Amino acid sequence: KEPPDRPSYWERLNPGLKTCCSLMLNPVHTLSRKHILGGAAALVLLTWLVASSSQGGASGSGHASVTLTPTPLLCPDWVRQGSAGDGGWNVCVPPKSAGKCIVYSFGIRDDFTFDAAHEAKGCEVHGFDPSVHLESSYNTKLRTFHLLGLGPTGSYAPGTAPFRWPGANYLKDTNSETWELKSITDIRASLQHDHVTVLKVDVEGAEWLSLVELLSSGQLNNGKIEQYLVEFHFDPARYRLHETADGSVVITRIAEDDMDYIAVLTALTNSKMRLWKWQWNIGDRQCIEASFVYDPAYASSVGGIFAAAS
């Protein structure tokens, strides 16, 4: 329990609070430029794809690896928000918030305990999922459900959503009805949100295109997103994961992939969004749940593939 003279987690997060798995038929590089991101961000992504190809044949070929090492001191205070198992997330207790507490929760299905926990403390919460209709059970005064998925902005007829592994039911299923997808940039613009306090992304492979957009648009380097909680999914036919003695996780590409996850993760480690904790998914050790926090003081000495856009 925190001492009475110390602001609680929720008071720091919300200062105004008064009380206490992939469709390989649709690989990334076959999408049109406008469907990927649009504008300058699309150009950065396409430049990255070309650069990756020139370094190793395909966008990701041969053996390569990246090590994700958490820095727990970035977040000495943290809480588990939502369920103790799958569906809950580790959230850093921030010393302050850039403004009103706003939470984006991508990927809900039948568990929105994470969303409810933030709503209970005064946060404005927006839940996104194109695969379920939760309007009647989800919506409250502070909580709004959007029948909307995360991805290249557009409307996708049945069977055409740009999944990556594991997609829907480990690639056994696809979108059975038309889905609307939007990028985080477009969602923030439509909701008129200058900042997002906590961005949670658990979208069965769609996190990769979204992460490229976040990096290429500079949103992970300008403080507009304060915390980034994401589950990374790695196709077992293409990647091997193992934990080291110092608590790091090493991701190694063992087979060609049409998107270079190693390059994307390297760019993430060179951004100002810093990893402070990670853990294995409870049911699948090809997936890791990672918690990042914005660190304005961090300046990587490595330029990285997104340096010009950051």
Side-chain angles (χ1 to χ4, degrees), residues 150-202:
L150 183 60
T153 298
S155 181
Y156 294 83
T160 66
F163 292 130
R164 300 189 67 82
W165 189 94
N169 192 22
Y170 290 91
L171 308 185
K172 295 176 184 177
D173 301 321
T174 182
N175 57 313
S176 58
E177 58 185 16
T178 298
W179 282 6
E180 297 295 327
L181 306 182
K182 275 190 177 183
S183 68
I184 290 174
T185 297
D186 288 341
I187 289 172
R188 281 182 55 197
S190 64
L191 294 177
Q192 298 182 321
H193 288 152
D194 178 67
H195 81 283
V196 177
T197 311
V198 180
L199 169 62
K200 184 219 79 176
V201 177
D202 185 1

Side-chain angles (χ1 to χ4, degrees), residues 59-268:
S59 293
S61 61
H63 287 69
S65 65
V66 63
T67 301
L68 302 182
T69 302
T71 306
L73 289 177
L74 287 168
C75 183
D77 298 328
W78 60 276
V79 293
R80 181 77 175 177
Q81 288 303 108
S83 63
D86 199 25
W89 288 83
N90 301 319
V91 180
C92 184
V93 177
K96 61 180 180 179
S97 179
K100 179 181 179 181
C101 174
I102 297 174
V103 176
Y104 284 7
S105 177
F106 289 93
I108 298 172
R109 199 162 53 185
D110 57 355
D111 185 344
F112 44 88
T113 53
F114 170 85
D115 310 48
H118 283 86
E119 177 215 9
K121 300 301 181 179
C123 295
E124 176 185 329
V125 185
H126 293 266
F128 304 84
D129 198 315
S131 66
V132 290
H133 293 265
L134 296 176
E135 294 87 346
S136 60
S137 59
Y138 186 96
N139 289 345
T140 64
K141 183 178 180 180
L142 290 176
R143 218 168 53 203
T144 304
F145 175 76
H146 304 264
L147 188 64
L148 186 66
L150 183 60
T153 298
S155 181
Y156 294 83
T160 66
F163 292 130
R164 300 189 67 82
W165 189 94
N169 192 22
Y170 290 91
L171 308 185
K172 295 176 184 177
D173 301 321
T174 182
N175 57 313
S176 58
E177 58 185 16
T178 298
W179 282 6
E180 297 295 327
L181 306 182
K182 275 190 177 183
S183 68
I184 290 174
T185 297
D186 288 341
I187 289 172
R188 281 182 55 197
S190 64
L191 294 177
Q192 298 182 321
H193 288 152
D194 178 67
H195 81 283
V196 177
T197 311
V198 180
L199 169 62
K200 184 219 79 176
V201 177
D202 185 1
V203 288
E204 308 308 313
E207 69 274 4
W208 294 106
L209 273 176
S210 170
L211 178 53
V212 169
E213 187 237 344
L214 288 170
L215 288 163
S216 63
S217 63
Q219 292 180 80
L220 299 185
N221 276 327
N222 60 16
K224 297 300 184 181
I225 296 174
E226 299 177 39
Q227 296 193 51
Y228 177 46
L229 316 179
V230 57
E231 181 165 89
F232 291 121
H233 302 80
F234 299 90
D235 185 345
R238 294 174 170 81
Y239 296 92
R240 290 287 181 268
L241 284 69
H242 75 271
E243 184 174 0
T244 63
D246 70 352
S248 301
V249 58
V250 179
I251 300 99
T252 302
R253 186 178 62 239
I254 59 173
E256 181 176 315
D257 196 354
D258 60 9
M259 184 176 184
D260 194 346
Y261 289 4
I262 304 302
V264 176
L265 289 174
T266 299
L268 177 60

